[in-house]
Amino acid sequence: MDLQNMVEEVWNSLADQRGAGKVADYIPALAEVDPNCFGIALATRDGRTYCAGDGEVPFSIQSISKVFVLAMALDRHGSALFEAVGREPSGDPFNSIVQLEREKGIPRNPFINAGAIVTTDRLIDDRSTEEAVEELLAALKKMARDDDIRIDKEVAQSESRTGARNRSLAYFMADFDRLLNPVETVLSVYFRQCALTMTCKQLAEAALFLAFDGTDPVTGHVLTSTQRARRINALMLTCGHYDNSGEFAYEVGFCGKSGVGGGILAIVPDKASIAVWAPGLNREGTSLLGARALREIAHRTGWSVFG
Amino acid sequence: MDLQNMVEEVWNSLADQRGAGKVADYIPALAEVDPNCFGIALATRDGRTYCAGDGEVPFSIQSISKVFVLAMALDRHGSALFEAVGREPSGDPFNSIVQLEREKGIPRNPFINAGAIVTTDRLIDDRSTEEAVEELLAALKKMARDDDIRIDKEVAQSESRTGARNRSLAYFMADFDRLLNPVETVLSVYFRQCALTMTCKQLAEAALFLAFDGTDPVTGHVLTSTQRARRINALMLTCGHYDNSGEFAYEVGFCGKSGVGGGILAIVPDKASIAVWAPGLNREGTSLLGARALREIAHRTGWSVFG
Amino acid sequence: MDLQNMVEEVWNSLADQRGAGKVADYIPALAEVDPNCFGIALATRDGRTYCAGDGEVPFSIQSISKVFVLAMALDRHGSALFEAVGREPSGDPFNSIVQLEREKGIPRNPFINAGAIVTTDRLIDDRSTEEAVEELLAALKKMARDDDIRIDKEVAQSESRTGARNRSLAYFMADFDRLLNPVETVLSVYFRQCALTMTCKQLAEAALFLAFDGTDPVTGHVLTSTQRARRINALMLTCGHYDNSGEFAYEVGFCGKSGVGGGILAIVPDKASIAVWAPGLNREGTSLLGARALREIAHRTGWSVFG
Amino acid sequence: MDLQNMVEEVWNSLADQRGAGKVADYIPALAEVDPNCFGIALATRDGRTYCAGDGEVPFSIQSISKVFVLAMALDRHGSALFEAVGREPSGDPFNSIVQLEREKGIPRNPFINAGAIVTTDRLIDDRSTEEAVEELLAALKKMARDDDIRIDKEVAQSESRTGARNRSLAYFMADFDRLLNPVETVLSVYFRQCALTMTCKQLAEAALFLAFDGTDPVTGHVLTSTQRARRINALMLTCGHYDNSGEFAYEVGFCGKSGVGGGILAIVPDKASIAVWAPGLNREGTSLLGARALREIAHRTGWSVFG
């Protein structure tokens, strides 16, 4: 298949729908993004990356960062991490606190906000926040083979200013002694990781190891074990879109993780790592056009993990 | 790979653990099953089925029937079926009613009990219960290429006698006008489908079409569309084990559906349909040894859908 | 105070508002009631009853029957009754099932539907349903000193036909083995007690013992102990109006129990027993005009239990 | 009745049970209290106060402060206060957050922690925290006719250090824009009001106005309106003990508010204001011996509001 042609056709087939959905507006820096942006990047085993539209325009990756932080925290703590956070879909919105009360401060999975806060806490571990953030940035740059990845300070500050719900979740877990570090320490890293700015191309390349058994197929770097890469993919498929995860699995059939900035990272095991970006969101907070683009790619390639 | 050898090695490696877990005891007929039973059957595209242990001993398939009823109800109603039942993991146990109240009588997915009751109601549609049950039996016999499949009347009657929770779920949905047929009509079919008695071999062969784009690769019969087969697989992966679905995806990586009789049906797209059976259950109601056997098969074959 | 004058003034002050609220329409017999009906009856220690408007017109007492059934079940089982049903306000609507799942089939209090179904089950005990219903009717006739009290068979049958939610609640409790009798047995009495037809005058007189330490001050019959009468009053005050109980206590300050037929029974300890009736309901299912009439009576008499 | 004799007899009848229950230990200053403390004070219209045991020993009043703050916030904002906080029993523990999510950040009533935090926020209004705290202290001193009432700084600091759950509740409401002031501002007052140190005698005298139509019967000061005093009493009765409120109403029959320091304030309209103190708590956080003492007083005086 001519993949460059395919991603361009997908882009063209949806170009008319640019602007659909609702751009996140809880942060000025997100609200000001051009709603018509639409980018695709698809990275393959041989080191090639096929882009379309705004595939090389940087945007705020937001919750997609949870995937990379999970991979790093898992490497730091091994499966002991799952004593602090579960592995089950929650059936609830991203910021629900009901389940936390029922299950005594242990979040359902690492991709809802509460679970990601715990994962970030374990990534920090006994280090300074600077050290943790530096490690995250360095890892992303290495995985993406690109030094031009940064944290948008304005976005991070806005996240912190509007972060009442995340503070509520974090203090709730602190009340059950579920965090190693003080709430504000954990959140200072959490808000920065959400403010990571990357392009579709960088994202797709940085996540390529997940599609290929934990090893970057281009450089040969072993980034995580085969087992662990598969398991991260499993979590993306069952939990990557909050209470819209089933729908995404049903309609698209790729492992995926969405961010409120309009990005979606999708992993197709043994085939490709794909990132799409369009700021308009559906009711559950997933990029409307992004999900359609991935469904279209699934349709044209026949790459669904389900057959 | 020598698949016959593989399934036998998997069986042998776990034979010492026979009897582990807790046999379902809410029905006499289930409680009386020999806890040491342990069977495996793996069916492939070429029409061969590889069995080990009690792979040809009949058992009560219970909730595994929900997969076949879903396939048939989907063919009857198309995606309109999903106006009556959702597609999201519930994060709740199989018989929870909390979500039903919050979401006004629309169950989260077709594999929790409430959702399966709706699916059965739609399978019946405007027909008699006899007609619906006959169609189900005939379809299973055809798909399994085996006429020796039956409904255990004693089990069906026990299900009905002990079915207070299922009645509660059904009346709850009836209160929201979610059922086409009277509660007892729907349940009379539901209890019979749960009482279907099949062997691992029959199950694996009957479900082979799900692994191969909706078409039985042996007979060439188109049983459902490619799209629909994939989507049923997606539902099995995200919702097939109630509040243990994430764990199963994480540890095994196959699409699967468990039954309280100790059976698990697993689909590996493009590769195989696998059924395992061991009556002892884990806390969430999935066969303990069955899940281990599937994990072992995933490990030895490298067939995980996640890479 | 001239009580006859007072009740007439209250009636007159609200007469313009007749028809306000929404008449219950889930049963034809209730839906057909004239929405402009409005009656008051206030019974005192000396055997006098002061009526206004439609105070002697019979209506369907519905959930007000729960008070009498509770009194009789308490006399039958003593405080052991409270092993089967709690004594706490639920904070939920009358027919919620969420709390039942969390608390393993034990309803919060005897005035939500689930709790009243348990109370009815205990009233039946090991007797026939006929015997239980006869005892209830006989007790009401005796307490009201009036033989003209009956069960409206048409209403009872309608209750049963539309009783899916109550069946759901009852089967849910049966699943936890919380009922002594089969679900349909219990419901056959429950639906009949809800269909009791009484006038405001009969209701106020029948409940007079609750205002006077358990003893009918007119006949001197000891109907229950002082302790028990107080406790039933406490339950009426904290739980008598479902998730509107706090509002009623706050605004009116009487012990009360509402019915979906538009009646409210109010107890003012040491002072009076009051029944009001107006079919239009507020959002929580309490008679809109009835609650206003009681608030006005509380205002004019200064009888609030709160000072 | 010889009230002095009565309170002494009640004290004596329960003296053997001193030490029962579990002393709150989440704060060192509370954990160090002598578990055998047991005090009673009963204030009447004529200005007399009858004490027994440790009735004049200061203790941490904790949540009992919510009653006084409610009275003051109500006087400041009138019934508009109830747009920010409800009036219904919650059926949940004191620190539950589940209801807050369901009802979009509006707490059920002013006596659960979330509701009390809102009430404190409204008491502060647009003033400095110092001003609000000063007003509260001055009011208590005036109502108790005693200048020796203070805030225990060590307790307040401990409350703040261990206040993760309350921070979680406050940030949750802030996320819904339910607070006028920043979270830490509100909590700095909330933690100080909880750290108020008073004796049973001071408490009973300070709350006397609630038993007498809002006016201190000794000084004649109108502290709130008749209507408002009744309504605060109604809230105490229906919501004063979290998910133990029904039990307290059922067993004691007084309006009451408990604190985790072991104090209970009880109001008997038209009769008395009573404070009891014994540090050992029951499972729901109400003083075990304190509740028994009040039940005994209710029994001996026949003062139950329920007849």
PDB file of all heavy atoms in Angstrom, chain C residues 14 18 33 46 52 55 62 68 78 93 97 99 106 112 116-117 129 162 178 185 224 227 229 238 241 260 298:
ATOM      1  N   LEU C  14     -55.928  29.209  50.527  1.00  0.00           N
ATOM      2  CA  LEU C  14     -55.243  28.472  49.472  1.00  0.00           C
ATOM      3  C   LEU C  14     -56.167  28.041  48.341  1.00  0.00           C
ATOM      4  O   LEU C  14     -55.728  27.453  47.347  1.00  0.00           O
ATOM      5  CB  LEU C  14     -54.554  27.237  50.067  1.00  0.00           C
ATOM      6  CG  LEU C  14     -53.397  27.541  51.033  1.00  0.00           C
ATOM      7  CD1 LEU C  14     -53.032  26.304  51.840  1.00  0.00           C
ATOM      8  CD2 LEU C  14     -52.172  28.034  50.243  1.00  0.00           C
ATOM      9  N   ARG C  18     -55.935  25.839  44.013  1.00  0.00           N
ATOM     10  CA  ARG C  18     -56.352  24.484  43.649  1.00  0.00           C
ATOM     11  C   ARG C  18     -55.975  24.164  42.201  1.00  0.00           C
ATOM     12  O   ARG C  18     -56.073  25.018  41.337  1.00  0.00           O
ATOM     13  CB  ARG C  18     -57.863  24.314  43.863  1.00  0.00           C
ATOM     14  CG  ARG C  18     -58.200  24.059  45.330  1.00  0.00           C
ATOM     15  CD  ARG C  18     -59.679  23.932  45.526  1.00  0.00           C
ATOM     16  NE  ARG C  18     -60.344  25.213  45.229  1.00  0.00           N
ATOM     17  CZ  ARG C  18     -61.653  25.363  45.142  1.00  0.00           C
ATOM     18  NH1 ARG C  18     -62.446  24.314  45.312  1.00  0.00           N
ATOM     19  NH2 ARG C  18     -62.178  26.541  44.876  1.00  0.00           N
ATOM     20  N   VAL C  33     -58.731  11.640  38.790  1.00  0.00           N
ATOM     21  CA  VAL C  33     -59.216  12.408  39.941  1.00  0.00           C
ATOM     22  C   VAL C  33     -59.318  13.886  39.565  1.00  0.00           C
ATOM     23  O   VAL C  33     -58.499  14.403  38.820  1.00  0.00           O
ATOM     24  CB  VAL C  33     -58.250  12.210  41.133  1.00  0.00           C
ATOM     25  CG1 VAL C  33     -58.517  13.231  42.219  1.00  0.00           C
ATOM     26  CG2 VAL C  33     -58.390  10.800  41.676  1.00  0.00           C
ATOM     27  N   ASP C  46     -59.837  15.358  72.173  1.00  0.00           N
ATOM     28  CA  ASP C  46     -61.186  15.269  72.741  1.00  0.00           C
ATOM     29  C   ASP C  46     -62.181  14.583  71.813  1.00  0.00           C
ATOM     30  O   ASP C  46     -63.382  14.592  72.077  1.00  0.00           O
ATOM     31  CB  ASP C  46     -61.674  16.685  73.079  1.00  0.00           C
ATOM     32  CG  ASP C  46     -61.588  17.601  71.859  1.00  0.00           C
ATOM     33  OD1 ASP C  46     -61.322  17.099  70.735  1.00  0.00           O
ATOM     34  OD2 ASP C  46     -61.752  18.820  72.010  1.00  0.00           O
ATOM     35  N   ALA C  52     -62.469  20.752  56.468  1.00  0.00           N
ATOM     36  CA  ALA C  52     -62.721  21.828  55.513  1.00  0.00           C
ATOM     37  C   ALA C  52     -62.658  21.239  54.111  1.00  0.00           C
ATOM     38  O   ALA C  52     -61.979  20.224  53.878  1.00  0.00           O
ATOM     39  CB  ALA C  52     -61.710  22.954  55.674  1.00  0.00           C
ATOM     40  N   GLY C  55     -62.767  17.333  52.902  1.00  0.00           N
ATOM     41  CA  GLY C  55     -62.215  16.543  54.006  1.00  0.00           C
ATOM     42  C   GLY C  55     -62.927  15.227  54.227  1.00  0.00           C
ATOM     43  O   GLY C  55     -62.407  14.350  54.933  1.00  0.00           O
ATOM     44  N   GLN C  62     -52.513   5.567  49.088  1.00  0.00           N
ATOM     45  CA  GLN C  62     -51.188   5.183  48.576  1.00  0.00           C
ATOM     46  C   GLN C  62     -50.147   4.988  49.698  1.00  0.00           C
ATOM     47  O   GLN C  62     -50.392   4.224  50.617  1.00  0.00           O
ATOM     48  CB  GLN C  62     -50.732   6.212  47.542  1.00  0.00           C
ATOM     49  CG  GLN C  62     -51.642   6.228  46.288  1.00  0.00           C
ATOM     50  CD  GLN C  62     -51.450   4.997  45.418  1.00  0.00           C
ATOM     51  OE1 GLN C  62     -50.368   4.464  45.300  1.00  0.00           O
ATOM     52  NE2 GLN C  62     -52.536   4.502  44.833  1.00  0.00           N
ATOM     53  N   PHE C  68     -49.303   2.892  58.750  1.00  0.00           N
ATOM     54  CA  PHE C  68     -50.116   1.935  59.505  1.00  0.00           C
ATOM     55  C   PHE C  68     -49.509   0.534  59.450  1.00  0.00           C
ATOM     56  O   PHE C  68     -49.484  -0.192  60.434  1.00  0.00           O
ATOM     57  CB  PHE C  68     -51.555   1.937  58.980  1.00  0.00           C
ATOM     58  CG  PHE C  68     -52.218   3.288  59.111  1.00  0.00           C
ATOM     59  CD1 PHE C  68     -52.433   4.097  58.002  1.00  0.00           C
ATOM     60  CD2 PHE C  68     -52.596   3.769  60.352  1.00  0.00           C
ATOM     61  CE1 PHE C  68     -53.023   5.349  58.117  1.00  0.00           C
ATOM     62  CE2 PHE C  68     -53.191   5.025  60.494  1.00  0.00           C
ATOM     63  CZ  PHE C  68     -53.407   5.818  59.363  1.00  0.00           C
ATOM     64  N   GLY C  78     -41.620  -6.423  66.959  1.00  0.00           N
ATOM     65  CA  GLY C  78     -40.765  -5.630  67.843  1.00  0.00           C
ATOM     66  C   GLY C  78     -39.602  -5.061  67.056  1.00  0.00           C
ATOM     67  O   GLY C  78     -39.620  -5.041  65.818  1.00  0.00           O
ATOM     68  N   PRO C  93     -34.659   9.227  45.757  1.00  0.00           N
ATOM     69  CA  PRO C  93     -36.080   9.174  45.423  1.00  0.00           C
ATOM     70  C   PRO C  93     -36.733   7.893  45.953  1.00  0.00           C
ATOM     71  O   PRO C  93     -36.047   6.947  46.319  1.00  0.00           O
ATOM     72  CB  PRO C  93     -36.096   9.188  43.892  1.00  0.00           C
ATOM     73  CG  PRO C  93     -34.793   9.772  43.495  1.00  0.00           C
ATOM     74  CD  PRO C  93     -33.824   9.350  44.567  1.00  0.00           C
ATOM     75  N   ILE C  97     -32.856   2.235  43.528  1.00  0.00           N
ATOM     76  CA  ILE C  97     -32.356   0.894  43.816  1.00  0.00           C
ATOM     77  C   ILE C  97     -30.854   0.934  44.107  1.00  0.00           C
ATOM     78  O   ILE C  97     -30.275  -0.047  44.565  1.00  0.00           O
ATOM     79  CB  ILE C  97     -32.680  -0.063  42.637  1.00  0.00           C
ATOM     80  CG1 ILE C  97     -32.751  -1.514  43.119  1.00  0.00           C
ATOM     81  CG2 ILE C  97     -31.680   0.106  41.515  1.00  0.00           C
ATOM     82  CD1 ILE C  97     -33.452  -2.439  42.144  1.00  0.00           C
ATOM     83  N   GLN C  99     -29.068   2.423  46.470  1.00  0.00           N
ATOM     84  CA  GLN C  99     -28.704   2.166  47.874  1.00  0.00           C
ATOM     85  C   GLN C  99     -28.858   0.685  48.210  1.00  0.00           C
ATOM     86  O   GLN C  99     -28.079   0.129  48.980  1.00  0.00           O
ATOM     87  CB  GLN C  99     -29.595   3.038  48.776  1.00  0.00           C
ATOM     88  CG  GLN C  99     -29.449   2.766  50.266  1.00  0.00           C
ATOM     89  CD  GLN C  99     -30.463   1.742  50.757  1.00  0.00           C
ATOM     90  OE1 GLN C  99     -31.546   1.600  50.200  1.00  0.00           O
ATOM     91  NE2 GLN C  99     -30.088   0.999  51.785  1.00  0.00           N
ATOM     92  N   ILE C 106     -30.737  -4.405  52.037  1.00  0.00           N
ATOM     93  CA  ILE C 106     -31.445  -3.892  53.220  1.00  0.00           C
ATOM     94  C   ILE C 106     -31.813  -2.439  52.956  1.00  0.00           C
ATOM     95  O   ILE C 106     -30.940  -1.579  52.850  1.00  0.00           O
ATOM     96  CB  ILE C 106     -30.574  -4.008  54.486  1.00  0.00           C
ATOM     97  CG1 ILE C 106     -30.272  -5.489  54.757  1.00  0.00           C
ATOM     98  CG2 ILE C 106     -31.271  -3.368  55.687  1.00  0.00           C
ATOM     99  CD1 ILE C 106     -29.512  -5.738  56.029  1.00  0.00           C
ATOM    100  N   ILE C 112     -39.396   4.361  52.131  1.00  0.00           N
ATOM    101  CA  ILE C 112     -39.131   4.239  50.700  1.00  0.00           C
ATOM    102  C   ILE C 112     -39.795   2.938  50.242  1.00  0.00           C
ATOM    103  O   ILE C 112     -40.090   2.053  51.062  1.00  0.00           O
ATOM    104  CB  ILE C 112     -37.616   4.223  50.384  1.00  0.00           C
ATOM    105  CG1 ILE C 112     -36.880   3.161  51.212  1.00  0.00           C
ATOM    106  CG2 ILE C 112     -37.001   5.585  50.644  1.00  0.00           C
ATOM    107  CD1 ILE C 112     -35.415   2.997  50.831  1.00  0.00           C
ATOM    108  N   ALA C 116     -40.873  -0.363  52.486  1.00  0.00           N
ATOM    109  CA  ALA C 116     -42.282  -0.653  52.746  1.00  0.00           C
ATOM    110  C   ALA C 116     -42.633  -2.062  52.277  1.00  0.00           C
ATOM    111  O   ALA C 116     -43.468  -2.739  52.879  1.00  0.00           O
ATOM    112  CB  ALA C 116     -43.157   0.379  52.046  1.00  0.00           C
ATOM    113  N   ILE C 117     -41.972  -2.517  51.210  1.00  0.00           N
ATOM    114  CA  ILE C 117     -42.225  -3.886  50.742  1.00  0.00           C
ATOM    115  C   ILE C 117     -41.749  -4.884  51.802  1.00  0.00           C
ATOM    116  O   ILE C 117     -42.426  -5.867  52.106  1.00  0.00           O
ATOM    117  CB  ILE C 117     -41.533  -4.107  49.373  1.00  0.00           C
ATOM    118  CG1 ILE C 117     -42.273  -3.309  48.287  1.00  0.00           C
ATOM    119  CG2 ILE C 117     -41.490  -5.593  49.012  1.00  0.00           C
ATOM    120  CD1 ILE C 117     -41.537  -3.202  46.953  1.00  0.00           C
ATOM    121  N   THR C 129     -52.195 -14.036  52.542  1.00  0.00           N
ATOM    122  CA  THR C 129     -52.326 -12.624  52.189  1.00  0.00           C
ATOM    123  C   THR C 129     -53.708 -12.104  52.602  1.00  0.00           C
ATOM    124  O   THR C 129     -53.834 -10.951  53.016  1.00  0.00           O
ATOM    125  CB  THR C 129     -52.140 -12.401  50.676  1.00  0.00           C
ATOM    126  OG1 THR C 129     -53.167 -13.104  49.982  1.00  0.00           O
ATOM    127  CG2 THR C 129     -50.787 -12.917  50.209  1.00  0.00           C
ATOM    128  N   THR C 162     -48.756  -1.893  36.576  1.00  0.00           N
ATOM    129  CA  THR C 162     -47.700  -0.914  36.295  1.00  0.00           C
ATOM    130  C   THR C 162     -46.547  -1.030  37.302  1.00  0.00           C
ATOM    131  O   THR C 162     -45.717  -0.142  37.391  1.00  0.00           O
ATOM    132  CB  THR C 162     -48.257   0.523  36.398  1.00  0.00           C
ATOM    133  OG1 THR C 162     -48.729   0.708  37.737  1.00  0.00           O
ATOM    134  CG2 THR C 162     -49.383   0.762  35.433  1.00  0.00           C
ATOM    135  N   ARG C 178     -33.888 -11.450  51.524  1.00  0.00           N
ATOM    136  CA  ARG C 178     -34.383 -10.519  52.533  1.00  0.00           C
ATOM    137  C   ARG C 178     -35.882 -10.640  52.782  1.00  0.00           C
ATOM    138  O   ARG C 178     -36.407  -9.962  53.664  1.00  0.00           O
ATOM    139  CB  ARG C 178     -34.076  -9.077  52.127  1.00  0.00           C
ATOM    140  CG  ARG C 178     -32.605  -8.780  51.903  1.00  0.00           C
ATOM    141  CD  ARG C 178     -31.784  -8.947  53.149  1.00  0.00           C
ATOM    142  NE  ARG C 178     -30.401  -8.543  52.925  1.00  0.00           N
ATOM    143  CZ  ARG C 178     -29.405  -8.873  53.727  1.00  0.00           C
ATOM    144  NH1 ARG C 178     -29.612  -9.626  54.798  1.00  0.00           N
ATOM    145  NH2 ARG C 178     -28.182  -8.479  53.466  1.00  0.00           N
ATOM    146  N   THR C 185     -46.376 -12.767  46.290  1.00  0.00           N
ATOM    147  CA  THR C 185     -47.205 -12.788  47.490  1.00  0.00           C
ATOM    148  C   THR C 185     -47.129 -11.454  48.214  1.00  0.00           C
ATOM    149  O   THR C 185     -48.150 -10.838  48.562  1.00  0.00           O
ATOM    150  CB  THR C 185     -46.726 -13.919  48.437  1.00  0.00           C
ATOM    151  OG1 THR C 185     -46.814 -15.155  47.740  1.00  0.00           O
ATOM    152  CG2 THR C 185     -47.558 -13.964  49.713  1.00  0.00           C
ATOM    153  N   THR C 224     -50.357   1.101  70.530  1.00  0.00           N
ATOM    154  CA  THR C 224     -48.938   0.721  70.550  1.00  0.00           C
ATOM    155  C   THR C 224     -48.328   1.400  71.773  1.00  0.00           C
ATOM    156  O   THR C 224     -48.998   2.203  72.441  1.00  0.00           O
ATOM    157  CB  THR C 224     -48.216   1.110  69.232  1.00  0.00           C
ATOM    158  OG1 THR C 224     -46.950   0.442  69.190  1.00  0.00           O
ATOM    159  CG2 THR C 224     -47.981   2.613  69.139  1.00  0.00           C
ATOM    160  N   GLN C 227     -43.223   4.558  73.559  1.00  0.00           N
ATOM    161  CA  GLN C 227     -41.928   4.518  72.899  1.00  0.00           C
ATOM    162  C   GLN C 227     -42.080   4.316  71.390  1.00  0.00           C
ATOM    163  O   GLN C 227     -41.489   5.006  70.576  1.00  0.00           O
ATOM    164  CB  GLN C 227     -41.130   3.351  73.516  1.00  0.00           C
ATOM    165  CG  GLN C 227     -39.734   3.198  73.016  1.00  0.00           C
ATOM    166  CD  GLN C 227     -38.821   4.202  73.704  1.00  0.00           C
ATOM    167  OE1 GLN C 227     -39.211   5.353  73.978  1.00  0.00           O
ATOM    168  NE2 GLN C 227     -37.606   3.781  73.959  1.00  0.00           N
ATOM    169  N   ALA C 229     -44.736   4.714  69.463  1.00  0.00           N
ATOM    170  CA  ALA C 229     -45.438   5.813  68.779  1.00  0.00           C
ATOM    171  C   ALA C 229     -44.455   6.944  68.484  1.00  0.00           C
ATOM    172  O   ALA C 229     -44.413   7.483  67.372  1.00  0.00           O
ATOM    173  CB  ALA C 229     -46.587   6.321  69.645  1.00  0.00           C
ATOM    174  N   THR C 238     -38.108  12.190  59.689  1.00  0.00           N
ATOM    175  CA  THR C 238     -36.825  12.135  58.985  1.00  0.00           C
ATOM    176  C   THR C 238     -36.938  11.510  57.596  1.00  0.00           C
ATOM    177  O   THR C 238     -36.119  11.782  56.730  1.00  0.00           O
ATOM    178  CB  THR C 238     -35.774  11.357  59.807  1.00  0.00           C
ATOM    179  OG1 THR C 238     -36.318  10.080  60.173  1.00  0.00           O
ATOM    180  CG2 THR C 238     -35.394  12.104  61.072  1.00  0.00           C
ATOM    181  N   HIS C 241     -40.908  11.822  53.417  1.00  0.00           N
ATOM    182  CA  HIS C 241     -41.137  12.403  52.097  1.00  0.00           C
ATOM    183  C   HIS C 241     -39.977  12.132  51.150  1.00  0.00           C
ATOM    184  O   HIS C 241     -39.643  12.983  50.319  1.00  0.00           O
ATOM    185  CB  HIS C 241     -41.386  13.909  52.221  1.00  0.00           C
ATOM    186  CG  HIS C 241     -42.445  14.237  53.202  1.00  0.00           C
ATOM    187  ND1 HIS C 241     -43.772  14.341  52.863  1.00  0.00           N
ATOM    188  CD2 HIS C 241     -42.403  14.415  54.548  1.00  0.00           C
ATOM    189  CE1 HIS C 241     -44.492  14.606  53.942  1.00  0.00           C
ATOM    190  NE2 HIS C 241     -43.684  14.653  54.982  1.00  0.00           N
ATOM    191  N   VAL C 260     -48.780   9.406  46.839  1.00  0.00           N
ATOM    192  CA  VAL C 260     -48.804   9.920  45.482  1.00  0.00           C
ATOM    193  C   VAL C 260     -50.234  10.239  45.019  1.00  0.00           C
ATOM    194  O   VAL C 260     -50.445  10.877  43.984  1.00  0.00           O
ATOM    195  CB  VAL C 260     -48.074   8.921  44.556  1.00  0.00           C
ATOM    196  CG1 VAL C 260     -48.992   7.758  44.211  1.00  0.00           C
ATOM    197  CG2 VAL C 260     -47.532   9.588  43.320  1.00  0.00           C
ATOM    198  N   ALA C 298     -49.140  25.109  60.552  1.00  0.00           N
ATOM    199  CA  ALA C 298     -48.020  25.230  61.494  1.00  0.00           C
ATOM    200  C   ALA C 298     -47.813  26.691  61.877  1.00  0.00           C
ATOM    201  O   ALA C 298     -47.581  27.025  63.039  1.00  0.00           O
ATOM    202  CB  ALA C 298     -46.748  24.649  60.867  1.00  0.00           C
TER     203      ALA C 298
END
